[in-house]
Amino acid sequence: MELAYYSDYAVRLVNTEEPVRGKDSLTSVEAVRELFGTASQMARRVTDSDVTRFRSVRSRLRAVFTAADEGDHTHAVDLLNSLLLEFPVSPQISGHDYLDEEGRPRWHMHLADHPSNATAGYAAIAAMGLAFHLTEFGADRLGLCQAAPCRNAYLDTSTNRSRRYCSDRCATRANVAAYRARKRQEAERTGRTEENSQESITPADR
């Protein structure tokens, strides 16, 4: 499993909440387990206490994305470093599940799942994955969706660093809203121009 895969752990957790809309899907043990995926052994260790702990980690991860989105990259790194210190990982070389054409293991780095509780395990993986993404691609590749009121987190993997939305749906919605706003402004300008023209006509002209 490539380390880049782990960065999605942070995105999935952050996006369980929509602060502007007042929505939060992280309300049960089952919701927490879904973040791991059905194949994870750590998911089976989730307890009721992890729901609250996951929400705390989620707030801290969102703060990383917020700082990066606002251009305060040093603060984003500081926040991420604090998570890495609190939730250290256990890297291991793995490959027994991935064989090449000749039946030999395809060795790769794997972040082992054997922390004290489910929250610590998930937080360690999410923070390390995000750290690898940030150091490889840059802090400006961490963003929050610009299609209000969404504000979902995303990782920009575009070639020209142009991503501004978490999904095609939000991009379309934002483009439609911008188009309608331009049309309203054009209509208002046209209306003002017509009013000014009428006011400039003297009684004799009429």
Side-chain angles (χ1 to χ4, degrees), residues 13-171:
L13 177 54
V14 171
N15 291 346
T16 59
E17 181 184 29
E18 297 180 69
V20 178
R21 292 191 174 106
K23 295 182 179 180
D24 186 350
S25 63
L26 197 61
T27 58
S28 65
V29 169
E30 289 71 24
V32 173
R33 285 174 177 161
E34 287 179 4
L35 291 170
F36 285 96
T38 57
S40 174
Q41 293 183 352
M42 184 58 63
R44 292 192 285 271
R45 296 179 56 185
V46 176
T47 66
D48 289 333
S49 298
D50 285 301
V51 177
T52 300
R53 288 195 290 254
F54 261 69
R55 286 179 173 177
S56 176
V57 172
R58 179 181 63 189
S59 296
R60 295 172 67 182
L61 285 170
R62 176 171 283 278
V64 175
F65 278 92
T66 299
D69 187 67
E70 294 175 349
D72 193 348
H73 297 167
T74 300
H75 186 45
V77 170
D78 288 342
L79 292 172
L80 188 52
N81 274 335
S82 69
L83 284 165
L84 291 170
L85 287 171
E86 184 174 345
F87 302 105
V89 298
S90 300
Q92 292 182 349
I93 298 174
S94 182
H96 53 82
D97 293 330
Y98 301 91
L99 304 179
D100 60 20
E101 293 78 6
E102 299 180 6
R104 295 174 302 187
R106 293 182 177 176
W107 302 115
H108 58 276
M109 292 300 297
H110 174 76
L111 303 184
D113 293 339
H114 49 255
S116 58
N117 57 65
T119 303
Y122 194 99
I125 291 172
M128 181 56 72
L130 203 56
F132 275 110
H133 189 92
L134 186 150
T135 53
E136 183 171 355
F137 300 107
D140 58 340
R141 294 293 188 133
L142 279 60
L144 295 174
C145 186
Q146 299 301 302
C150 179
R151 304 302 283 168
N152 271 351
Y154 65 84
L155 298 172
D156 184 3
T157 56
S158 64
T159 56
N160 58 355
R161 299 174 183 265
S162 61
R163 185 171 178 180
R164 295 293 179 271
Y165 308 103
C166 68
S167 64
D168 291 339
R169 179 181 179 182
C170 276

Side-chain angles (χ1 to χ4, degrees), residues 171-203:
T172 299
R173 183 161 55 85
N175 289 334
V176 170
Y179 172 79
R180 290 175 176 172
R182 287 195 301 271
K183 287 299 183 181
R184 285 195 299 269
Q185 291 174 356
E186 290 173 2
E188 290 173 359
R189 284 196 297 268
T190 300
R192 286 195 296 268
T193 300
E194 292 177 350
E195 289 177 1
N196 292 336
S197 297
Q198 291 295 326
E199 291 174 356
S200 65
I201 299 176
T202 65

